[in-house]
Amino acid sequence: MTPDSIESLFTRDSGAFVFARWGRPIAPIVFGVEEPTLRVVKGAFEAVAALAGHSLAETDPELGSNCMVFFFRDWAELSEVPDLDRLIPDLGPLVARLTAAKANQYRVFRFDDSGAIQAAFVFLRMDPALAAQPAEELALSQVVQVMLLWSERAFAAQSPLAIAGQKVILRPEIAGVIRAAYDPVLPAAARDASHALRLFARLEAAP
């Protein structure tokens, strides 16, 4: 990784550099899956949180669960989730746009006053492409993508995952960025591209 490649991971389509990590323990909850898949998703949260040195929690004092992962077959199902429209502004128009685009995933973040991630909502429409992925691969990929506020194009050309032997793992350079991003010395949010240099310095210093 170079400073420029790190910077690109957090540069939005607008050209703005926007970095954010979680500013509180993550309290995940998963909807729409059976117990075996639930265990896989929770295992992915535990693994990535351990990598980052960040905490998980059973509940969030303000929100109860602050990271909600929804698995479903059709975007229209979101309109039937009780009170979801209170958590996701303009849910109806959003569902219409995602349906028209034939999207199979979408993430929404909320931030606290400091700009740190306060909550995240992950929506996964299990079309043939997503359904064909092994549960471990799908879960790890999604958890990685809510661990930081990556740019829209961060993983458009290359997945955050890699194959090592017979096992799917997080790409070492992406794991390094996550680990560096959660260095407690660094701020939880940044809007200056010079933050990429600080992340790069921690990658270089890593054993």
Side-chain angles (χ1 to χ4, degrees):
M1 299 291 282
T2 65
D4 286 346
S5 61
I6 294 173
E7 182 180 336
S8 70
L9 292 173
F10 303 101
T11 301
R12 315 298 295 175
D13 285 345
S14 64
F17 180 90
V18 184
F19 167 88
R21 71 185 188 209
W22 284 83
R24 60 181 63 199
I26 304 172
I29 188 169
V30 184
F31 300 94
V33 296
E34 297 180 351
E35 186 63 29
T37 303
L38 176 61
R39 289 196 296 268
V40 169
V41 176
K42 289 196 170 183
F45 272 105
E46 291 167 356
V48 179
L51 165 72
H54 193 65
S55 301
L56 297 180
E58 289 296 323
T59 58
D60 178 85
E62 292 180 45
L63 303 171
S65 295
N66 59 23
C67 188
M68 301 183 182
V69 183
F70 297 85
F71 289 79
F72 50 89
R73 295 290 179 185
D74 190 284
W75 287 110
E77 295 176 40
L78 293 184
S79 302
E80 301 170 4
V81 177
D83 297 326
L84 186 59
D85 57 345
R86 295 172 58 186
L87 297 172
I88 309 296
D90 300 320
L91 180 63
L94 175 62
V95 166
R97 289 200 306 272
L98 294 171
T99 300
K102 298 182 179 179
N104 62 9
Q105 56 187 287
Y106 190 73
R107 282 166 289 280
V108 178
F109 292 88
R110 286 169 55 178
F111 306 92
D112 63 22
D113 292 341
S114 73
I117 299 173
Q118 179 185 49
F121 305 86
V122 181
F123 302 109
L124 299 172
R125 181 178 67 85
M126 298 302 291
D127 66 355
L130 286 187
Q133 291 187 37
E136 293 84 358
E137 179 180 327
L138 179 59
L140 182 57
S141 173
Q142 295 302 321
V143 172
V144 166
Q145 291 182 79
V146 295
M147 205 65 192
L148 296 170
L149 185 66
W150 309 96
S151 79
E152 301 94 332
R153 293 172 292 175
F155 305 119
Q158 186 176 19
S159 166
L161 308 183
I163 302 295
Q166 300 296 316
K167 188 176 181 181
V168 175
I169 63 168
L170 185 56
R171 277 166 42 206
E173 64 271 29
I174 297 302
V177 170
I178 293 173
R179 191 182 296 110
Y182 277 86
D183 185 324
V185 173
L186 295 182
R191 293 297 183 99
D192 193 309
S194 64
H195 192 74
L197 294 173
R198 303 175 75 181
L199 295 174
F200 177 73
R202 280 153 179 79
L203 284 179
E204 290 291 282

